[in-house]
Amino acid sequence: MADVSPIDLQKALKGAQYPASRADLVSLARDNGADDSLVQKLSGASTDRFDGPDDVQKVAFGNG
């Protein structure tokens, strides 16, 4: 995966409301112009629900 910065992640998920489903975050990221690699990371997440930004960061940066 290409390196995704925390700022890229914030931009991709601007306007997210938590808890959020994986599908909702993938759609939002696409709508916000996220890099394909980030969209793929979110799409491939092992969870269907994200309770907040920390959960998303764990998936995006492999910290979980």
Side-chain angles (χ1 to χ4, degrees):
M1 169 177 160
D3 289 336
V4 175
S5 75
I7 292 171
D8 292 336
L9 182 61
Q10 286 179 336
K11 288 179 183 178
L13 299 179
K14 182 178 180 181
Q17 305 244 342
Y18 297 96
S21 71
R22 175 178 49 205
D24 287 344
L25 291 184
V26 167
S27 178
L28 180 63
R30 284 188 179 129
D31 290 348
N32 286 339
D35 185 86
D36 287 341
S37 61
L38 177 56
V39 172
Q40 288 176 358
K41 271 285 200 190
L42 292 172
S43 296
S46 61
T47 183
D48 289 328
R49 175 186 159 122
F50 295 87
D51 290 325
D54 288 344
D55 288 348
V56 181
Q57 287 180 9
K58 289 176 185 174
V59 168
F61 303 119
N63 297 334

